Amino acid sequence: MENVTEGTWRSLPVKLNEKIFQTLDELGFTHMTPVQSACIPLFMKNKDVAAEAVTGSGKTLAFVIPILEILLRREEKLKKMQVCIYLLQKMCFQEFSSSSYLCIPVQTSHLNMT
Ligand SMILES: Nc1ncnc2c1ncn2[C@@H]1O[C@H](COP(=O)(O)OP(=O)(O)OP(=O)(O)O)[C@@H](O)[C@H]1O
């Protein structure tokens, strides 16, 4: 992707879960896009965020990653997380995007999806 110039994921002021780092590595996403580096720290401070950026600029992961990170930090992960991941996967239904790929290691390690 072009415009992936805004620092590595590990340079974020908030540390993400290792499973998220690992999956981003597997996807080959070494650096954030500008909208991701701008939005993720704000989401992680529980701010309301409205972002406008061109198509294909990485907006989806700009909010999916904070959602997954926040859910992973919760002690009581189970049902709420299951519902959220189900919704995220449905959102990604039309194309098997990086968002749904990102959800897989998170869900299998923390949820019983039976
Ligand atoms: N940091 C990144 N590095 C490399 N590729 C990325 C990164 N973030 C997202 N992508 C990929 O770039 C493509 C476009 O991202 P995405 O669909 O999230 O953009 P978008 O801004 O949400 O687009 P739209 O406005 O069409 O919904 C996707 O294939 C996605 O997997």
Side-chain angles (χ1 to χ4, degrees):
M1 174 196 255
E2 291 174 27
N3 287 332
V4 184
T5 57
E6 296 295 308
T8 63
W9 300 95
R10 288 180 190 273
S11 71
L12 279 167
V14 285
K15 188 180 179 303
L16 300 177
N17 188 284
E18 274 306 320
K19 289 189 184 306
I20 292 178
F21 284 140
Q22 194 182 318
T23 309
L24 289 165
D25 281 346
E26 285 168 17
L27 287 164
F29 294 179
T30 56
H31 288 68
M32 295 176 283
T33 66
V35 71
Q36 291 162 353
S37 68
C39 291
I40 292 172
L42 295 174
F43 279 123
M44 294 310 299
K45 286 188 203 162
N46 293 320
K47 301 287 185 194
D48 295 328
V49 180
E52 184 179 16
V54 297
T55 295
S57 56
K59 295 185 292 294
T60 310
L61 286 185
F63 72 87
V64 168
I65 287 175
I67 290 171
L68 291 174
E69 180 63 32
I70 288 165
L71 288 169
L72 283 166
R73 289 180 186 193
R74 288 194 176 180
E75 288 197 12
E76 197 184 328
K77 292 171 182 142
L78 299 173
K79 285 252 162 91
K80 282 181 194 165
M81 185 162 177
Q82 187 166 345
V83 169
C84 288
I85 288 179
Y86 178 77
L87 291 173
L88 285 170
Q89 287 183 325
K90 287 295 167 195
M91 280 171 52
C92 303
F93 176 74
Q94 287 172 326
E95 53 176 313
F96 188 72
S97 68
S98 50
S99 309
S100 47
Y101 184 78
L102 194 65
C103 288
I104 292 170
V106 175
Q107 100 186 8
T108 52
S109 59
H110 292 274
L111 297 173
N112 176 1
M113 294 294 283
T114 55

